[in-house]
Amino acid sequence: MLDRLPRAGREADPAARQRLLRIHGRSVAWVPPLVLLLGIAVLDWNTSGEFRIISWIVLVPGIAAAICGVWGTAVFALLAVVAYFTVDTSWPHQYQTGLPDFILVVAGGVLATLACAVRVRGERRMVHMRDVAETTRRAVLRPLPPGWGGLDHAAVYLSADVEARVGGDFYDIQPGPQGTRVLLGDVQGKGLGAVETAAALLGTFRESAYHEAALSTVAERLEVRMLRHAGYCVAVGRSDGDRFATGVLVGFTEDAPDEIEVVNFGHEPPLVIGPRGVRSLPPGDGLPVGLGELGPGLPPVLRVPLAPGETLLLVTDGVTEARDAGGDFFPLFDRVAAALAADPRAAEPRRLVRLVRDGTLRHSGGRLEDDTTIFAVRRPATVTSRSAAGG
């Protein structure tokens, strides 16, 4: 999987800030407050008695509280008190700032140390929550080995929630005796309920895509799983029992190397990118997963041509509904077509995913309104006959 790009809001990441305060692996967070402390002391020593600035030394522990640890801040608070007392008492009595400013420096140091303790505790909690979110994301969107299922592939997931890093988008590749099946989908709604629903659908996909001979049966199993999950949510009194998911289910079979099977659950139709240009697969006129009872049944299984070397691009609506400052949607088809005309290598999965990712972020100014998944898969140009064991 491609790494996620930093976006607006990531500047507050404590790990990133600590990296900025390191040189050759050593922390230099102590330098700014130390320079400030020495600068104030030297300037006060060289000013006239009518204009004393030594009381400004109260800023030193405040600066340390923002970038240093608790013990570092406490040390600078103590140094500020010592420096204040040493410099101030070196002046004649009539020019000394006296006890009030001394109390100010002491109180400032104590408050700065307490504030630093609160900051460090919050950062540790944030790091812990991000670790939990990252573990959850990896459990739902498992890493895919190179060449998994006999396919070249690349994917990137961008969460609209910068802090949570997880959402309702999902994708996977499942090899099996009947060939390789691919799934991409987008659960309606946000939050942990959407993540739980995505996990339920992926679990069903991974089992049924391996065991079931017909892609239509896999689609049926997904529909039943969504209905069961919705029933469970209602039974436990949760308000998210009416969730549904759009998605695209794709089957790659070894006996038809120039075709794929596609079931579209009301999702944006995938694009095919290759030597012959860019084309869109038939639109998804089926209902989303979980709403099959409202229509004539499950979406049909379509057989569409896909030659080895042609790339199938699947995206969620975080791409197609990304808007710029003027409210215009991201022109996915046109951008991909232009890139392919300029460089035929743009059809390679990693290049294609990077192209769409960068274009989406630039178009939206880095402000994604919805979770965004970009997933590209293709048979290698040289097809080898290999049967993959399931994962």
Side-chain angles (χ1 to χ4, degrees):
M1 185 192 300
L2 297 176
D3 292 333
R4 290 186 299 275
L5 286 181
R7 303 198 304 278
R10 294 271 170 95
E11 294 82 357
D13 190 331
R17 182 168 60 245
Q18 289 301 318
R19 285 194 295 270
L20 292 175
L21 294 172
R22 287 183 176 274
I23 297 178
H24 301 300
R26 295 181 178 275
S27 175
V28 293
W30 52 271
V31 173
L34 180 62
V35 171
L36 182 63
L37 185 147
L38 295 176
I40 291 174
V42 171
L43 287 175
D44 184 82
W45 182 269
N46 290 280
T47 56
S48 62
E50 289 77 13
F51 183 73
R52 299 287 313 284
I53 64 169
I54 191 58
S55 58
W56 293 8
I57 211 165
V58 73
L59 297 174
V60 170
I63 298 298
I67 58 178
C68 297
V70 177
W71 285 107
T73 302
V75 168
F76 277 109
L78 179 61
L79 289 176
V81 172
V82 172
Y84 173 87
F85 180 80
T86 302
V87 174
D88 192 51
T89 55
S90 66
W91 285 84
H93 180 73
Q94 64 270 26
Y95 295 122
Q96 294 179 8
T97 56
L99 182 62
D101 284 359
F102 178 78
I103 295 175
L104 174 65
V105 173
V106 172
V110 172
L111 292 176
T113 304
L114 293 176
C116 181
V118 172
R119 190 208 91 216
V120 169
R121 182 179 179 183
E123 288 182 352
R124 288 175 178 169
R125 179 177 177 83
M126 180 185 298
V127 170
H128 174 70
M129 294 304 295
R130 288 191 173 184
D131 288 343
V132 171
E134 184 67 14
T135 301
T136 303
R137 186 187 68 82
R138 290 179 65 87
V140 176
L141 302 179
R142 61 179 181 176
L144 299 176
W148 185 238
L151 301 177
D152 292 337
H153 60 83
V156 65
Y157 170 75
L158 302 172
S159 175
D161 187 339
V162 173
E163 302 302 330
R165 295 189 176 188
V166 290
D169 288 5
F170 58 93
Y171 62 89
D172 202 4
I173 298 174
Q174 180 59 57
Q178 312 303 324
T180 299
R181 274 73 185 263
V182 172
L183 176 66
L184 176 136
D186 181 4
V187 176
Q188 172 264 338
K190 298 182 182 295
L192 292 178
V195 177
E196 182 182 356
T197 303
L201 290 174
L202 281 174
T204 297
F205 166 73
R206 288 162 185 164
E207 289 302 309
S208 61
Y210 179 84
H211 291 287
E212 301 296 345
L215 195 67
S216 59
T217 307
V218 180
E220 182 180 356
R221 292 278 298 273
L222 291 172
E223 176 74 15
V224 172
R225 184 68 182 94
M226 177 62 87
L227 294 176
R228 290 174 53 208
H229 181 72
Y232 167 79
C233 292
V234 172
V236 297
R238 284 167 37 180
S239 60
D240 56 351
D242 57 349
R243 288 190 188 274
F244 58 86
T246 63
V248 180
L249 178 62
V250 182
F252 293 81
T253 58
E254 293 184 357
D255 58 356
D258 296 320
E259 286 186 337
I260 55 173
E261 295 179 320
V262 180
V263 178
N264 193 320
F265 291 95
H267 197 81
E268 186 77 17
L271 297 180
V272 176
I273 300 96
R276 293 179 291 178
V278 181
R279 68 181 189 275
S280 177
L281 293 189
D285 52 4
L287 292 175
V289 183
L291 301 181
E293 296 177 340
L294 303 180
L298 295 177
V301 178
L302 304 177
R303 283 187 169 270
V304 298
L306 185 75
E310 288 187 320
T311 301
L312 190 67
L313 176 65
L314 306 98
V315 301
T316 58
D317 54 11
V319 174
T320 56
E321 297 182 5
R323 297 174 181 263
D324 61 11
D328 295 325
F329 291 113
F330 176 62
L332 175 63
F333 189 99
D334 295 340
R335 293 287 179 87
V336 172
L340 184 65
D343 184 0
R345 295 178 302 172
E348 297 174 4
R350 289 185 65 86
R351 291 175 180 266
L352 184 60
V353 166
R354 188 179 296 111
L355 166 73
V356 177
R357 176 194 66 182
D358 294 348
T360 302
L361 290 174
R362 281 194 297 266
H363 184 81
S364 64
R367 298 180 299 275
L368 298 177
E369 298 299 328
D370 200 357
D371 296 333
T372 300
T373 298
I374 308 158
F375 192 27
V377 296
R378 72 174 180 182
R379 289 188 178 100
T382 301
V383 181
T384 59
S385 177
R386 52 183 174 178
S387 177

